[in-house]
Every structure is written in C-alpha cells, then in structure tokens.
Amino acid sequence: MFFHTGELQYHAKPDAPDPVFAKQVQELIGGQFGEMSVAMQYLFQGWSTRGNEKYRDLLMDTGTQELGHIEMLATMVARLLEGAPVYEQEKAASDPIVGAIMGGMNPQHAIVHGLGASPKDSNGVPWNAGYIVASGNLLADFRANVNAESQGRLQVARLYSMTDDKGVKDLFSFLLARDTMHQNQWLAAIKELEAKEGPIVPGTLPPEWEATEYSHILYTNSESSKELKWMNEPAPDGHKFTFGKPEPLSVKPELKPAPPEAHNSLPEDKLK
Amino acid sequence: MFFHTGELQYHAKPDAPDPVFAKQVQELIGGQFGEMSVAMQYLFQGWSTRGNEKYRDLLMDTGTQELGHIEMLATMVARLLEGAPVYEQEKAASDPIVGAIMGGMNPQHAIVHGLGASPKDSNGVPWNAGYIVASGNLLADFRANVNAESQGRLQVARLYSMTDDKGVKDLFSFLLARDTMHQNQWLAAIKELEAKEGPIVPGTLPPEWEATEYSHILYTNSESSKELKWMNEPAPDGHKFTFGKPEPLSVKPELKPAPPEAHNSLPEDKLK
Amino acid sequence: MFFHTGELQYHAKPDAPDPVFAKQVQELIGGQFGEMSVAMQYLFQGWSTRGNEKYRDLLMDTGTQELGHIEMLATMVARLLEGAPVYEQEKAASDPIVGAIMGGMNPQHAIVHGLGASPKDSNGVPWNAGYIVASGNLLADFRANVNAESQGRLQVARLYSMTDDKGVKDLFSFLLARDTMHQNQWLAAIKELEAKEGPIVPGTLPPEWEATEYSHILYTNSESSKELKWMNEPAPDGHKFTFGKPEPLSVKPELKPAPPEAHNSLPEDKLK
Amino acid sequence: MFFHTGELQYHAKPDAPDPVFAKQVQELIGGQFGEMSVAMQYLFQGWSTRGNEKYRDLLMDTGTQELGHIEMLATMVARLLEGAPVYEQEKAASDPIVGAIMGGMNPQHAIVHGLGASPKDSNGVPWNAGYIVASGNLLADFRANVNAESQGRLQVARLYSMTDDKGVKDLFSFLLARDTMHQNQWLAAIKELEAKEGPIVPGTLPPEWEATEYSHILYTNSESSKELKWMNEPAPDGHKFTFGKPEPLSVKPELKPAPPEAHNSLPEDKLK
Amino acid sequence: MFFHTGELQYHAKPDAPDPVFAKQVQELIGGQFGEMSVAMQYLFQGWSTRGNEKYRDLLMDTGTQELGHIEMLATMVARLLEGAPVYEQEKAASDPIVGAIMGGMNPQHAIVHGLGASPKDSNGVPWNAGYIVASGNLLADFRANVNAESQGRLQVARLYSMTDDKGVKDLFSFLLARDTMHQNQWLAAIKELEAKEGPIVPGTLPPEWEATEYSHILYTNSESSKELKWMNEPAPDGHKFTFGKPEPLSVKPELKPAPPEAHNSLPEDKLK
Amino acid sequence: MFFHTGELQYHAKPDAPDPVFAKQVQELIGGQFGEMSVAMQYLFQGWSTRGNEKYRDLLMDTGTQELGHIEMLATMVARLLEGAPVYEQEKAASDPIVGAIMGGMNPQHAIVHGLGASPKDSNGVPWNAGYIVASGNLLADFRANVNAESQGRLQVARLYSMTDDKGVKDLFSFLLARDTMHQNQWLAAIKELEAKEGPIVPGTLPPEWEATEYSHILYTNSESSKELKWMNEPAPDGHKFTFGKPEPLSVKPELKPAPPEAHNSLPEDKLK
Ligand SMILES: [Ca+2]
Ligand SMILES: [Ca+2]
Ligand SMILES: [Ca+2]
Ligand SMILES: [Ca+2]
Ligand SMILES: [Ca+2]
Ligand SMILES: [Ca+2]
C-alpha cells in the first residue's frame, strides 16, 4: 500500500521559465527510459516476485522512490512553463525569438495541459507499457534495470549540457546521484545472482534442450573481429569462444499451397 | 549493404500443424524481445557507432543474423498453420476441440495473413520501434543487449515446455544456443568496457555535476534489506553503500496561477 | 513524495486458479479505465494544480490509493495463475477443457511474465498515456474523473457476474465501494465548482468570443427528439433550447492548387 | 446511413497562411479530444444503444455533425498551409523568421500530406480509438461526453488567444458555441438519467455485492481536507461522508513459487 | 457537411448469436483495412483535394458510404452478441463448449462495451490513423485505395467461409459487391491519371533530379528471376529493364566522434 | 539467410550539418512509407509466399535491398547531426538562428540517440508494424507495394526541394531512381497477375457469394460525377458502370435489451 506527503524529495525550482527546455525535460518523465518507466517497471517486478522477499522489498522501495522522481520533474516542467509567452503566437511572425519559442515548445503544454507536465516524451509521444519489463526471472529483470538506469543517467547528463539554469542543474545533480546508486545496486544484485545461477539466463535450462555446438561461435566475416580480445579468453560461462563463417545449415523452404478458403494467390503452375 | 540467399540458417519444420501454438510463437517474432527487436536494435546501434570499428562490425554481424532468425520463425509459423482447420468455425459450435482451436488461434492468421506469419506479438499487438534501444553509448547499449538476449532466451525456454513437436523443439534448441552465445558476447564486451570506462554509465560525467552525497544510499524502511549481503561490500564503483530512511529533502511546491489565456480553474481565493 | 508498506489495502486472494479469468481481470489493471489510468490521471492532475491546495491534496490522496489498487489486482492476477496448467499445451489437443484454458488465457502470462500480472488490458494491449486527462482546469478534469470512476465501476460489476470465486468477489466488493466513494467525491466537487464557475467549461470565456446564436440549437431531423423532455426546460446554463434543421451555413470550399514542390496531382484543367 | 453535401457547415477561411498555427490546430482534429474523437465516440455509442430510441437518435445526430466539424478544421488547416514557404528550408539557415516556420511547422504537412490536414494531433501522433468511450451504459457514457465537450471547448479557447487571424477566430466562435450546446445537452440528459437511476453508475448493482462500509470514507492525512465543505453535506447518493486514515486492511502477500517450466528465479532458500 | 438517417444501407441481421465470430468480424470494422480505414482515408483525401472537383466529390461520396458500412458491421456485431452466454464464465470450467466461447470471444465485448461493437481489430488492437493515406497526389492515393479495397474484399471472402449463418452471409454478399465496385472505380480512375501523368509517381519530377542509370535494373542473384517474363518486355514507363548483381557503389562509412556533451562511448583509440 | 558487408550501396555524405533537416529525413526511415516499411513489407510477403518461387525471390531480393536503404539514410542522418550546435540550448535565447535549430530539431537526436538516427518518423513517432501489408494474395500485396513505392518516391521528391545540400541530393537521386524501378517492377507484375486472375481481388471468389446487382453502381448525387469519363466505358472487370442515388435498402435496426449482467442503461420504458 502507498502513502504520500506533499513535500518533494528534492528541490525542483528553475531560475527562469524556458518552454523549449520544458519540452525536452519531458523525455525524463514519459520517454522510454523516463521515470514513469522505471517506476512501473520496478513495481510490476515487485508484485510478481515469488519467494525472494528481500528483492521484492528492494523493488518496491525503489519503484516508490521513482514515483517521487516523476513528481519532481512534473513540478519542474510546470515551473519552466510559468511566465513564458506561450499564448502569443501572433507575435512570433515578427519577433524571431518569440517565434522560435512558439515553434519549438510542445504545443500541448499550452493547448492541452494548461502549463502542466504531460505523461509523454520530448516529441509528445504518450508513454506506453510496451517500454517496461517484468519477466518473473530476477536476473533477467535486473539486467533490464541496470540498462534502464544507464540510459536514464545518460539522458540526464546530456540535458545537463543543454541549460545553464542553476535550479535545473541542482535537480539534475540529485537525479544523477540516484541513478548512480541504482546502477550500483542492480549491478551488485546481478553479481550475487550470477554467482548462484550462472551468467546465462535462464540458469535452470536442462542442457539437453540446447544445441550446444552452436553456443559459442561468433559468426563473422569481418576483419575487425580479430581485435575482439575477449574472443581469446574463456566466455563468461566458462566455455571457449570460436569463430565461424555465416553459412546456412538448412535448405530453402517450400511452403504448401494455402487452402481455397484463404483466397491466396494461386500457385505458379495453376497461374500458367 | 545486405545480401540474401534462400536457404534457412537452420531447420524450421514442425511435425504437425498447431494453430494455437502458431499464435504463441508470434511472441518470438514481434514481441518486445522478439527477433525483430534484436535485429533492429543491433542494426541501429551499428549505424550510429562512431569510431569503434570492431563493435560496429560485431553489431552489424549479429543484427544480420537476427534477420535470419525472423525468417526461420516466420517459416515455422507458416507451417504450423498448414493443414489446420482454421476456416471451419461453424464446426466449433459442436466440436469442442475445433472450438478451442478456432477460439484460441490468432484470427488474423486466417483473416488478414492467409496462413502467414505476422509482425506482431502473441496477442496480436503490432511490433513498434519503442521497444528498441540505440543511444550512442556502447556500454549502456550492450547492457540493453544482454537484457534482450536474456529475456528472449527465457521466452524460448518457456515455449519449449508448451509443445512436444520435435521439429519445433529442434529449431528452439538452435535459438537457445545462439542466445547463449549472444549473452556471452555482450557480457564479455561489457566487461571490457567497464574496465576502461568504469561501471557507472556514462563514465565521462564530470564529478562536480553530481550530488555525490546521495550516490550510495539505499533508502528503505524494510526489515529484509538487512539480508542484502552486498550492502556490506564495496559498491561496484568502489564506494561504500549506506542505509537511509526515505525522507523529503525539500518543501511542498506551490505553483503560480496560470495566465488567463489558459482558462485553467481559478485559484482558490478567487473561487471563494 | 511517496512511501510504501508491504501490506495490501484489502484482501486479494482467490479460492482457486483461473487463468482465463486472470486474462480478463487485466482490463481493471491496464485497460482504458483500469487502475493505472486513474492513478496516473489523478497524480498528473495534482502535480499541475495551481492555487487550489485542497483539490491538489485530494487528487494526490486519491491517486496514491489507486496505486494500491493496482497492487491488489496485480496480486490477484498472480494468484489466479498459480497452480494452473499453463505450460501444458500439448494436452490441449486431446483434452478440450485444457484446450479452452490454453487457447483462452493470455499467452504472455505464461511466456513473457512468468505468471505475473501485465500492464496491459484484457486483450494484451499495453496501457498508454493517451488514456489520461490533465488539463489544468479542475471542472473539466473532475468530469473526466467521474467518468473514469463510472466506467471503472461498471467494468467491475460486469466481471463480478463472470466468476463465482468468493475470494475474487470479496476484492471486487471493496473496489465497487471505493468507486462509489470516488464517484460521490467528484460529483460533490463538480457541484461546488459549477456553483462558482457555471456549468459550461471554461467559465472564463469572454462572451464576445462565442457565436452565441448557435449555442442552444439542437440540430436534428429525428422524430424522437420531441421526446427529449429537457428540451422544454431551461438549459443547464439558463438559456432556452431550440430545435434546428441541419443545414450548411457556408459554401463549398475550393482550395488553391499546391505549389510545384509538393508534386501533388495537377489541377483538373492541366490534367485535361 | 450517411449523406454528404459539399457545402461546409460554417466558414473556414483564414485571412493569411500560418503553417505553425496549422500544426497547432491539428489538436482539434486528431487530438485526444479532437473532433475525430467526439464523432467516433457518439457514433459508436449510438450503434450500441439498446431500447432508448431518443438517445440513439441524439447520439447519431450529434456524431454526424461532428463529422462536419472535422471537415471544417481540415479545410482550415489546408488553407493555413496555402502560400507559405514550407519547401524552402535552405533559406531557414539565414532568415530566422523562415527558420522558425520551418522548424516549428509539422514536417508531415509538407512531406507526407502535400499541404493537407492530417488525422493526428498537434505533435503528429496519430489518432487512435483508445481515446473513445462506448460502454452501453448511457449515464456513464454521457459523463464521458460532457467531459469530451469540456476539454474540447477549453482547447479551442486556448487556441483562440494564440492567433489574431479573423477568419480563424470566426470559425472558433462557431465551435465554441456548438461545444456550449453539447455541454448543455449532455448535462440535461445526465440530470434526467440520474433522476431515474441514481447518481452512482451502474445504478443496477445489487447492494449486497458492495462492501458498503467503505463507500463513503475519504482516506486522507491532509490538513487541507477539512476545507472540503461538501464533506459536511450529504453525499450525492444521500449517504454521509466520513474521514478515514489510510491504513492497510490486509496482510503482506506471499506468492507461491512458479513451476519449473516458468524458469523464473529460484526462491531465495534454493538460491542460498 | 454530413446527414444521417436511421435506416441501414443494407440488412445486418444474423440468424443466431456467435460471440467468437463477433470478435472476428471486428477485423472489418477496426482492422488495418476495415471500414474505419477506408472511410477516414477517402474523407481526408477529399478534404485535401485541390482543383480536381470530380475526384473530390467521388472521394467524399465513397467515404460517406463507408461510414454506413461501419454502421452495418457495428449492428451485426451487436446482434451476434445478443443472447449468448457471455457472462457465464464459471460454467466454462465444466462445459467445454461454453469454455471455448468464453475463452475465444473478445473479453471487452462483455466487460468494456456491454455487448456493443468496438473500434478495434479482431485482436482488440485499437484502430489508429497510422493506417490511412492522404498525400495530396491523387494517383499515389488511388493506388492506396485500390489496395485497401483489395485487402478488404479478401478479408470478407475469408470470413465468408468461417460461418454458415445466412444473415451474416447476406450482409457479406453486399460488402463483396461494393468492394468490387470500389476496386473497379479506383482502377478506372488510375488508368485515366496514368494516361495523363505517366505511370511513375510523381509524374512531375524533373528528370535531372534522378540518377536514371539505376532506374530500370533488377538487382538479383536468384536463378528464378529469369522466369519473370515481363523483364523481357518494355517497363511500364517505356524504358528497358536490365539485370544487375547487387554490389556496393560506395565505401564503408566512418562517422566522426560525437562531442563530449553526448557522453557517447569514447572512440576506440581513447578506450585502449 | 542474410549477409552484410560494410560498404554502403550508394554515397550518403552531406556537405554540411543540418539538424532540422535530419529530423525531416527521419520520415524516410521510420515513417509510414519509409524504408523500414518497405523492407519489412517485402520480407514478410516473401516469407509467406506459397508456390510462386520467382515472386518469393523477387520479394526477398527487393526487401534485402531496402534494408540497405535504411542503412544509407541512417548514415546520412548521423552525418547531418555531426558538428551542429545541438547541445547549446542556452544560446538559443539570444541567438535566433541557434534558437530555430534547437527548437526545430528532434530533441531525441540529442538526448536519446547521441547524434544517431532513430527508428521513428519526422515527428518522432515510433515505426510500427501496423504500417505493413502481407496478405498471402500476391495481386493484393503488389498493389500495396506499388502504393508504398509511389508514396515513398513522392516524399523524397518533396524533401529534394527542401535542401540545397549536394551530398543529400546525390543520395536522393539514387533513391528516386530505385523507387522508379520498384514502381516499374510491381506494375509489370500486377499486369501479369491481372491477366491471369482478373482485376478484382480475390479472383477466386465464387460468383454466387456476391450480390452482383450492387457491383457496378456509383452511388452519388454530385453533379461533377458526370465528368468521370470512365463511367461511360466498360469497368475494368468488363461489366457496365451505372449511376445510383444513395438510398437505404434496409430498415432502422432495433437492438434487444442487454442482459442484466451487462448493467447497461435500462431500456426507455423501464426508465419512465
Ligand atoms: Ca532511477
Ligand atoms: Ca539473439
Ligand atoms: Ca477509483
Ligand atoms: Ca462537440
Ligand atoms: Ca469499400
Ligand atoms: Ca523502394
């Protein structure tokens, strides 16, 4: 069960309005790796966790904090839109600075949301649950999590260079720090799980299910592949990597004609 | 530039038709972690790689092979639909076996695709590019890749238990093997990159951008967090983990009223 | 800022597994009016509220509880999937009961989520933020809210008839009650706001912006429109309703030809 | 059955081209609450209406008029794009006014649609049927309708301030008026239905299905909730509102381990 | 402007309920080539037509009729759902016929739409405007139209075999006929436009824009390409087809390193 | 099976950076008719082709080349983004040229992709498989193909006017040429198939399935329809076109009330 208090986890107050930057900050709210994604990803993973209490709790704790991150960014966006000339398009034709703002901002901030944040990315594409991962296999999912935190921190780092607003940078410094923690925690947990289950997910696969003769071949014709030094070392699962040339191991398929009810094209000999 | 020959990379021939299983195999083609996702993910990462030739080539080589995986699965789906009673719904009312097939198969296999595979998942949701990741940062993206191969191998393993068709299992044994290789290769490459750039993405971030006092705190009230043994060990980036209690570091935000042109609700005191 | 404890707000334990019903319950999690929608809708409305503290708090309080509703339903789905024959498709060909389960369940529950809930609707379509509403105008948005609670309670009521599992019905009885409360609260708040701002949103529109001669005409040729008794009463905004016949008030538009750079079809006289 | 004549319902002729505004007007065509949404919403509601002829006809009449509103806005967009420098991007680098137009317009107006309107919103996101509501319950759906007309009129009001083109404002004055009528009519119909079915949807729910002890509690810890005056009045359904403190009514759930075929993470004790 | 009368264009009354077939008929309403697609496609093409009055009118006339086709199919779906055991899931566990119905029907017909049609396809995926085409070039768009009518008639033909309900087949016989007319009309119009503009769209392209040495080469290594008889005849645009072997005409690209602000991976030599 | 070499099929090197144009070029990669669409469309059609070897091979050959077209455009986009001021938003407030670039470019090129191409259209909407067509009927699908190549060539032609960069125009001249070839080849193949199967898809429909009395009527009230000269000539299928006035051939439908479990609105007489 969830609880809420009105205070923000951290400060979220820009020095000045900037509607174009408000549009860009949306990536951190409703983008593929925005805070909506990590919040929902961790919560759904937590709700499906079976018999690993400490990880269920870690997921719920972290997901709950990410909800607070959406809150800070939504507040930041609302404030970046305060006091800016967003309803003055007619001035844009003569004043290029206003023109660039009116053309560069997210029109829905003015028309749809009345100067509030939107659950969408920096191009205005709505967030959708196809972004998130919850498989029931913790090692697989923690790899999704460390990826999400890596992509997310990368995006904050890029946005950091795109503004010189001190208030914005203050919030970003906190988000960067938390993404450092989250990368650290998932990496540590992955190390623990790999030690127990092995590095190849799922670790429970009966070996006879797998055509293991194809499990360590790098198929390539590229000269540069010789520079992949790790090809000379044992693979993470302890076996030996080998090189192979891409070649078909089977024949050209011939499909049977469809039944008449499909009204597909007639086979070639009937067409002749 | 790409080339194609008609032979399949591996065999893709079921022993018998099974339209309901054909629907489920679609997850491996057009699902979030199906072969369309890994193919497009590796190709777009390759096309954006700047100055790391060996990894550009590895991405292009692997992405090209995944295109061949789509091909095998599309062939398998087309054959699982051959010779099955997919246009005989009127029999379904009296014969429950046929009824379960007609109700359980993907209706678009019969109506839209004429017994061919579909670029959609096992629920018929079209594949979309929101699934894939290409950031320009190789360490971040290889984490996405090892996640994709983990989720993908997990799904093949689950489907393996859902059929006893030997032809299907033969193809799955090959896919399981290749996903083992792909997990191995991305894990090895990650290890190499982490050794050079450090474990926290992006490794190029100036330290003064980050509020480092918050970079290693696990915020939690959960009892079970004490069982996280790695909390007592150095974090992956070498610093020390600490515990913290979730608490607001800021105040409750008060947004300014919107301008009249927004036609937002009037602020409370004007409403009174 | 958000907090979480492990206990559920209410019981969520079915008497027996039922994978087909698990698929249908997904509508209440990730459907257009599922709990993800109301949670995100209320939170985004709250974060954008400017100067109406009591309503900001009401929105945040209610949205936070809806997060707990997702949690209960996700737990219910996970339990409806426990102990059911979801990986035994090969039995489906001979046993029609198993066949109906394997064909009728959501395949992603088995293949993608490992018996966990999914952030999708009952057809497996991912939840997306295009479902939610946050305009900055409280009267408009509370109307969206009472609609969402009406649709949501209606869906629970329909699902109530589709099971005789006592544990499921117990949870549904709680959800029905909370939707009653939420309809009550938004209706009461609407009444308050309408008293201050008038019934037509936005209440702040300068009257000279509107072609008021068209503001109260019911355009219709239908005989049955005479039975609309309220047409004889004052309209909600106090004016008088009138009947009109649908007729064009303007002429047929003629667009100018496109410039050559558009490579549109040539205009007709050039085509001749 | 539908009929069409070439004349527009009302004038749709701007004084001058304005490609950036054309992009923004798209919100009223293909946005969440644009005319495509209300047209399709009313038509699908009408087609599903069972045994309430006068409301079926009202829905069909209103939906049909909304089709004519799409027509006027599509014509307006086509004309806002006439005669503007939309294919002259190379000038944009030196002329900031042209630059702002080229950067601020919807590129698809030039590239995809050849200066025609698009069935998308102001960010270029395609309209989708996930926006609309048709439940078979008229009271629920009329609440959706009054919401849609409120959001729609609000958006026109905001766009009205963003242009000083008299031709555009003339069309907007008509749309504002029609949205006034539509809010009036749905409010009047809601009042009628509430009088018969009660205010809580669905009105046909057997009372024993509901855990009524939770139907009137406002769960909150917020100080400001005391200012909600309507908490002291009877709830819309006639019962008494009470305050409650958010607290769990159940325990922490423990899910059973998944079967081996799921290849989920092993439960914690097996991992040790 | 549009008008509506209550009568259907043609009969839409099944002999008996069939909820599974109702799900499948949805493909004709809200699928990629369902009636929503052709209706919206023709209307948006009509609204953008510049200076070709007779084709604008043809598009509007045809689009208007397609609206009536949605109406007939929505009515058919509503009736296929009347009187069927759609709320009796608890019977499904013991009665496999009911089980197949409950598992095979679209759950949203019961839960969301109250036995009404849905603006979605046969898998429950919402219709979206990404399906439709309106480019401003009539020849291009009429090709889209003849494709849409071809795919649509094909789908009706397939569904025709999947039922023996005489009422359903009666409606389908009308839809098949109208799709015949629509294929005929677009083919006739294409022939007229090709005679004027030539077969290659757009016909207005200055020849010097095109690298014409590559305009008639079939790149292939396939043996079977010799059987393409039309390779020996003049191409539709009057030129001569030739065969070519797929070969790169350029070099391997080398991208420059990204700027530091991108925080991309370091180039290889810095990594060493 | 697929193979790849590092060389590009054709040159893809702009003379100078242009981030706004990079955004617009995205339409050709991930738009409805971009290269991702034609590549996937041809490959899925090829994989489903049953018994028409030469067309299966033609589809696979062409689809494979389109993969190389994505590659060239992705390379072009990456280079249009090299060396441009994409991380300098703070300069935008004072320098309108920079402002127009920052506001007019795709923010995800900077924030998400690190100066790489994106699998999305010119508005940032992700590519999805709902764009593509693969029906199993070659005549239907080749019509889809000639449409796709027509729309695609039209879009390149429009973009050609929007830049004066010689490197960009060089690549476009190659794409225009290849789209000429592809229009030619599908038109030639269509002619062959129509000669065998007739012009109305599907050609295998038993005539008694169709209400042929409605197969050649143009329903219209438009004066301009008399100018459709082809109405006086034989229809493409050899029959005679006739004119008809749009009129209902059926009655107004009356749906039965829903069962109580639906909790729909009560029928009117019960409401009274
Ligand atoms: Ca995080
Ligand atoms: Ca792989
Ligand atoms: Ca609620
Ligand atoms: Ca309206
Ligand atoms: Ca048609
Ligand atoms: Ca092409």
Side-chain angles (χ1 to χ4, degrees), chain E residues 33-35 38-39 42 62 65-66 69 145 148-150 152-153 175 177-183 185-186:
Chain E
F33 294 109
E35 303 289 353
V38 281
Y42 300 159
T62 314
Q65 290 164 48
E66 305 289 19
H69 292 196
N145 297 354
E149 297 289 347
S150 302
R153 192 168 181 269
L175 296 176
R178 296 311 296 155
D179 287 353
T180 294
M181 175 58 194
H182 293 161
Q183 288 189 44
Q185 79 186 43
W186 302 127

Side-chain angles (χ1 to χ4, degrees), chain B residues 18 20-25 27-28 31-32 96-97 100 103-105 121-125 131 151 154-156 158-159 161-164 221 246-249 252-258 260-269 271-272, chain C residues 1-3 23 47-57 86-90 92-96 99-100 102-108 110-114 120 123-126 135-139 193 196-197 202 204-206 209:
Chain B
D18 187 343
V20 177
F21 197 66
K23 165 180 162 178
Q24 292 167 343
V25 171
E27 192 67 32
L28 305 182
Q32 185 186 11
I97 299 281
M105 69 175 291
D121 73 14
S122 62
N123 278 316
V125 176
Y131 294 148
Q151 303 288 341
L154 180 59
Q155 294 179 6
V156 179
R158 285 165 177 169
L159 277 165
S161 298
M162 293 166 74
T163 180
D164 54 7
N221 287 319
E247 273 179 332
L249 301 162
K252 194 167 177 182
E254 290 197 25
L255 302 181
K256 293 180 198 158
E261 293 91 340
H263 298 283
N264 280 19
S265 296
L266 297 176
E268 205 159 6
D269 46 6
L271 277 175
K272 275 173 200 166
Chain C
M1 191 177 164
F2 296 83
F3 303 85
K23 165 180 162 177
W47 291 324
S48 304
T49 299
R50 295 172 175 279
N52 287 289
E53 199 70 3
K54 67 184 176 188
Y55 282 129
R56 182 190 185 92
D57 289 344
V86 303
Y87 293 107
E88 301 181 38
Q89 181 158 308
E90 71 272 29
S94 55
D95 180 341
M102 294 299 302
M105 69 175 290
N106 180 334
Q108 294 188 329
I111 304 168
V112 176
H113 301 295
K120 305 185 177 176
N123 279 315
V125 175
S135 74
N137 182 296
L138 291 179
L139 179 49
L193 290 170
K196 286 169 182 160
E197 304 194 359
T204 48
L205 194 82
W209 288 12

Side-chain angles (χ1 to χ4, degrees), chain A residues 1 3 47 50-54 57 87 89 93 103 106-108 110-112 114 124 136-138 196-197 204, chain D residues 21 24 27 97 104 121-123 125 155 158 161-162 246-248 252-253 255-256 263-268 271:
Chain A
M1 191 179 165
F3 303 85
W47 291 324
R50 296 174 175 278
N52 286 290
E53 198 71 2
K54 66 183 176 188
D57 289 344
Y87 294 106
Q89 181 157 306
N106 179 335
Q108 295 188 329
I111 304 168
V112 176
N137 182 297
L138 290 179
K196 288 170 183 158
E197 304 195 356
T204 47
Chain D
F21 198 66
Q24 292 168 344
E27 192 67 32
I97 299 280
D121 73 15
S122 62
N123 278 316
V125 176
Q155 295 179 6
R158 284 166 177 168
S161 297
M162 293 166 75
E247 273 179 334
K252 194 166 178 181
L255 302 181
K256 293 180 197 157
H263 298 283
N264 280 18
S265 296
L266 298 176
E268 205 159 4
L271 278 174

Side-chain angles (χ1 to χ4, degrees), chain D residues 22-33:
Chain D
K23 166 181 160 175
Q24 292 168 344
V25 171
Q26 285 287 154
E27 192 67 32
L28 305 182
I29 294 176
Q32 186 186 10
F33 294 108

Side-chain angles (χ1 to χ4, degrees), chain E residues 4-122:
Chain E
H4 180 262
T5 63
E7 294 83 14
L8 295 178
Q9 191 188 6
Y10 196 79
H11 318 300
K13 206 164 189 172
D15 293 349
D18 187 343
V20 177
F21 198 66
K23 165 180 162 178
Q24 292 168 343
V25 171
Q26 286 286 153
E27 192 67 33
L28 304 182
I29 295 176
Q32 186 186 10
F33 294 109
E35 303 289 353
M36 291 180 76
S37 288
V38 281
M40 285 297 144
Q41 180 157 309
Y42 300 159
L43 297 179
F44 271 91
Q45 288 179 14
W47 290 323
S48 304
T49 299
R50 296 174 175 278
N52 287 288
E53 198 70 3
K54 67 185 176 188
Y55 282 128
R56 182 188 184 95
D57 289 345
L58 180 64
L59 287 161
M60 297 307 301
D61 281 343
T62 314
T64 303
Q65 290 164 48
E66 305 289 19
L67 292 170
H69 292 196
I70 310 176
E71 188 174 48
M72 291 185 287
L73 287 162
T75 303
M76 179 60 81
V77 165
R79 283 167 163 168
L80 284 164
L81 292 165
E82 281 177 1
V86 302
Y87 293 108
E88 301 182 39
Q89 181 157 307
E90 72 272 28
K91 287 188 191 162
S94 56
D95 180 341
I97 299 280
V98 176
I101 291 172
M102 294 299 303
M105 71 174 291
N106 180 334
Q108 295 188 328
H109 279 157
I111 304 168
V112 177
H113 301 294
L115 307 187
S118 162
K120 304 186 177 176
D121 72 15
S122 61

Side-chain angles (χ1 to χ4, degrees), chain C residues 35 38 42 66 69 149 178-179 182:
Chain C
E35 303 289 354
V38 282
Y42 300 158
E66 305 289 18
H69 292 195
E149 297 288 346
R178 296 310 298 156
D179 288 353
H182 293 161

Side-chain angles (χ1 to χ4, degrees), chain C residues 38 41-43 45-46 54-63 66 138-150 178-194, chain D residues 143 200 218 228 230-231 235-236 241:
Chain C
V38 282
Q41 180 157 308
Y42 300 158
L43 297 178
Q45 288 177 15
K54 67 184 176 188
Y55 282 129
R56 182 190 185 92
D57 289 344
L58 180 64
L59 286 161
M60 296 308 300
D61 282 341
T62 314
E66 305 289 18
L138 291 179
L139 179 49
D141 286 1
F142 289 177
R143 288 175 173 176
N145 298 355
V146 78
N147 171 51
E149 297 288 346
S150 301
R178 296 310 298 156
D179 288 353
T180 294
M181 174 58 194
H182 293 161
Q183 288 189 44
N184 269 316
Q185 80 187 43
W186 301 128
L187 286 169
I190 285 169
K191 198 175 148 200
E192 180 185 90
L193 290 170
E194 284 183 347
Chain D
R143 288 174 174 178
I200 306 303
L218 182 68
L228 296 166
W230 41 262
M231 279 298 292
F241 281 128

